[in-house]
Amino acid sequence: MKLKKILALALTAAMTLSLAGCGGDSGNADDAGKTENAGPAESSDESDEEGGETAEDVDISSLAGTTISVYTHGGNRVLGEEKKDENGNTYRDESYAYLKHVAERFTEETGINVELNVVTDESEIEPLFKVEDSSVDVYTPPNWSLEQWAAYAEPYCTIEEAVEMYGDYAYAMPKDDTYIYNIMIGKAYDQCVVYNEEAIKSVGYDEIPGTLDEFNEMCAKLRDAGITPISMHRVENWPLSTINDFACYVAGDSTAFSGMLKSDTPFSESDPFGKTIKMYTQWKADGFFEPEVYTDFGVAMDSVAYGKAAMMLFGSWVVPQIQGRVPDGTDPSIIKFAPAPDFGAGRYVLAAPADGFSISKFSENKEAARAFIEYLADDAQFSADSGNIANKKGVEPVVPELYAIIDSMVESGEVQVMMKPANDENMQNNQAVLSEANLWADNNYAGLLFDAMDVTKPDDWSAYDAQVEAQNKLYVDYRDELGVSWVD
């Protein structure tokens, strides 16, 4: 039996859409993704001691006429995918507005109306939660600490209940010692190589090379041919958070990021995370990333769709978006998804839960909100269209074709599956140290190092080395001040 494990995190967008049965849309939005992490906190005293009602506990027919408000930074699934017409003008293809379509079906079947609101990031809705505003019922996962989850999200269920419904993937969902706060309805591969097959073929490659040296050789050929090897979208820091997971591939250990706690030199090249950020920064020095900063993530994805760039280093969530952006008349399947090369410890893919939804603690429509989330979890095609595999017990999954390469390599033994680590004490303590050192916010732990390299002086690593030394000292000082250490 094939191992099929996958991921589609949240996206970002800048517009609001209301759906009350018939729906409609307007405006524009830019899509992006953020890696989820959780931090230390105690469960709120106000949390439901039972972990929330299940959908089966509620008579859905009694909720007809209710309206729930859903906030998401998955703008493409509400407004449709951005495309360009023959004149180069951007438009939205509503056939890709999968969340809008499923919300309309939900309303038709239950009588519960759904208002979909697209936001750029969590900062837009957190002020509402701070004043206990009831206008938000459901929201997709922001890049929050566990403390924020516990403060703003209704406990969705107990950990045991989530394991029963979603298996071991439940342990990697945002949770405390008792409750899951963000139920993630799918499973996915996290952080692989999303690539344009035509672009790499143009320089003599039929697949992503299996070793770092071969990968670097391919990137150099792409660069010399005038094709950007790797599209990053460096205008923001969040794309650098992929380094957290790539460090696991470098180390051959899924705890590589939290394992910073074990070292007095976590940012040095001798350590897994330090080695990984040095690798990324070397790619920058070698001219493997875009020479000019992309204005937004949509432009970065377009660069791969049109073959101006060859690759992105992200999870499966980005594949359907890029496939939806290829030029008219082009087969979307030229956008493929493959494991990262072997960086020295073997070739891996990281399996993770995907596509999270939470119920606001301050919602006055929690039963209807839960019914909507369960409806999404039961819709295997919605998950597949979003780049995931449905993972709820009893739901027959639909496996998107984009996973064919990885599934084949896993089945043959060429690639090993590594489960995304649980949000355990080590993960929380590592985040706490980085936060106290003022390195956690905006992924500064990676961004400050990456930006220290001056591409006009690619052989001068003095500023980078000085930043490594400074961050090592900050990390150790605050780790010792907090009195935390690695726990086996």
Side-chain angles (χ1 to χ4, degrees):
M1 182 177 178
K2 288 187 178 182
L3 286 168
K4 303 181 190 300
K5 308 177 193 261
I6 313 102
L7 160 57
L9 290 180
L11 324 164
T12 64
M15 203 60 204
T16 299
L17 171 72
S18 291
L19 274 174
C22 60
D25 71 22
S26 62
N28 199 353
D30 300 320
D31 308 314
K34 295 187 178 179
T35 304
E36 171 133 42
N37 293 282
E42 298 295 329
S43 178
S44 168
D45 292 338
E46 297 177 8
S47 296
D48 179 0
E49 291 301 325
E50 301 300 320
E53 288 185 288
T54 65
E56 291 76 13
D57 294 331
V58 178
D59 178 6
I60 299 299
S61 64
S62 69
L63 302 175
T66 302
T67 297
I68 60 171
S69 183
V70 178
Y71 281 72
T72 178
H73 44 308
N76 66 311
R77 294 196 296 180
V78 175
L79 303 172
E81 201 58 73
E82 281 188 344
K83 291 188 175 182
K84 294 186 185 298
D85 62 22
E86 60 223 16
N87 298 317
N89 299 313
T90 300
Y91 70 97
R92 288 281 181 174
D93 184 343
E94 290 189 24
S95 66
Y96 291 85
Y98 301 122
L99 186 59
K100 172 187 172 184
H101 300 157
V102 76
E104 289 172 342
R105 294 196 299 272
F106 174 75
T107 297
E108 183 178 349
E109 294 179 23
T110 67
I112 300 171
N113 298 316
V114 181
E115 293 179 348
L116 293 177
N117 304 275
V118 179
V119 295
T120 54
D121 58 43
E122 61 271 19
S123 64
E124 295 187 32
I125 58 174
E126 187 171 14
L128 298 176
F129 293 143
K130 286 183 174 180
V131 296
E132 301 187 5
D133 192 311
S134 63
S135 61
V136 180
D137 296 304
V138 175
Y139 57 102
T140 56
N143 188 28
W144 277 350
S145 68
L146 183 56
E147 182 177 11
Q148 289 168 300
W149 283 117
Y152 305 141
E154 182 76 4
Y156 195 86
C157 60
T158 64
I159 296 171
E160 290 77 11
E161 290 167 340
V163 171
E164 171 65 22
M165 294 307 297
Y166 292 96
D168 287 346
Y169 286 84
Y171 293 115
M173 298 179 190
K175 60 179 176 56
D176 59 17
D177 292 338
T178 305
Y179 297 117
I180 300 289
Y181 289 98
N182 181 257
I183 199 73
M184 304 179 80
I185 64 174
K187 56 184 178 179
Y189 291 122
D190 205 0
Q191 317 319 351
C192 292
V193 181
V194 183
Y195 68 100
N196 185 312
E197 185 178 37
E198 291 183 349
I200 69 167
K201 281 187 173 182
S202 72
V203 294
Y205 292 82
D206 292 325
E207 60 187 8
I208 298 300
T211 69
L212 178 58
D213 286 344
E214 293 169 330
F215 182 80
N216 288 340
E217 288 173 7
M218 182 184 72
C219 286
K221 290 179 180 179
L222 287 162
R223 178 200 61 203
D224 294 346
I227 300 170
T228 298
I230 305 169
S231 178
M232 177 180 276
H233 177 51
R234 187 57 193 94
V235 73
E236 295 175 322
N237 261 4
W238 68 261
L240 287 170
S241 64
T242 60
I243 293 172
N244 301 358
D245 291 338
F246 269 73
C248 300
Y249 302 157
V250 167
D253 179 359
S254 66
T255 65
F257 184 55
S258 58
M260 294 171 70
L261 287 165
K262 301 177 184 178
S263 175
D264 289 344
T265 56
F267 296 103
S268 296
E269 192 174 1
S270 56
D271 287 71
F273 185 83
K275 182 177 180 180
T276 308
I277 183 60
K278 181 69 178 287
M279 178 177 71
Y280 268 60
T281 311
Q282 183 66 62
W283 287 338
K284 175 185 175 182
D286 291 338
F288 292 170
F289 296 119
E290 59 267 19
E292 295 183 11
V293 174
Y294 294 122
T295 54
D296 60 50
F297 195 64
V299 177
M301 289 191 290
D302 282 343
S303 72
V304 179
Y306 281 75
K308 295 177 182 178
M311 297 171 280
M312 279 185 157
L313 305 179
F314 285 113
S316 60
W317 61 270
V318 81
V319 179
Q321 294 190 61
I322 299 177
Q323 288 177 334
R325 292 167 176 267
V326 299
D328 288 342
T330 301
D331 184 351
S333 69
I334 68 165
I335 306 302
K336 298 190 180 301
F337 193 54
D342 179 352
F343 297 124
R347 204 166 184 186
Y348 298 91
V349 290
L350 195 65
D355 212 5
F357 294 85
S358 289
I359 300 172
S360 168
K361 180 172 289 188
F362 314 110
S363 167
E364 295 175 352
N365 303 298
K366 292 184 175 69
E367 295 86 358
R370 185 177 297 275
F372 180 62
I373 295 172
E374 291 299 315
Y375 188 87
L376 297 177
D378 289 338
D379 192 328
Q381 190 60 53
F382 169 72
S383 285
D385 289 340
S386 302
N388 305 313
I389 291 178
N391 195 32
K392 183 180 176 182
K393 182 179 179 180
V395 177
E396 184 68 27
V398 175
V399 182
E401 181 60 28
L402 68 93
Y403 302 118
I405 293 173
I406 295 178
D407 282 342
S408 176
M409 296 181 76
V410 168
E411 188 171 332
S412 69
E414 295 175 73
V415 171
Q416 300 177 62
V417 174
M418 182 185 292
M419 182 66 79
K420 194 175 184 75
N423 174 35
D424 59 10
E425 183 178 356
N426 291 318
M427 188 77 77
Q428 294 174 23
N429 285 339
N430 184 46
Q431 180 182 330
V433 174
L434 292 170
S435 296
E436 289 297 317
N438 200 28
L439 295 171
W440 178 257
D442 199 28
N443 300 293
N444 280 329
Y445 55 87
L448 291 172
L449 286 164
F450 189 84
D451 292 337
M453 162 54 67
D454 183 351
V455 292
T456 67
K457 303 174 182 177
D459 298 324
D460 182 0
W461 287 83
S462 56
Y464 181 91
D465 292 340
Q467 185 64 33
V468 167
E469 186 175 342
Q471 288 187 201
N472 280 338
K473 184 177 187 307
L474 279 170
Y475 190 91
V476 172
D477 286 349
Y478 282 101
R479 184 193 62 194
D480 293 349
E481 181 176 309
L482 291 172
V484 296
S485 58
W486 178 263
V487 178
D488 287 321

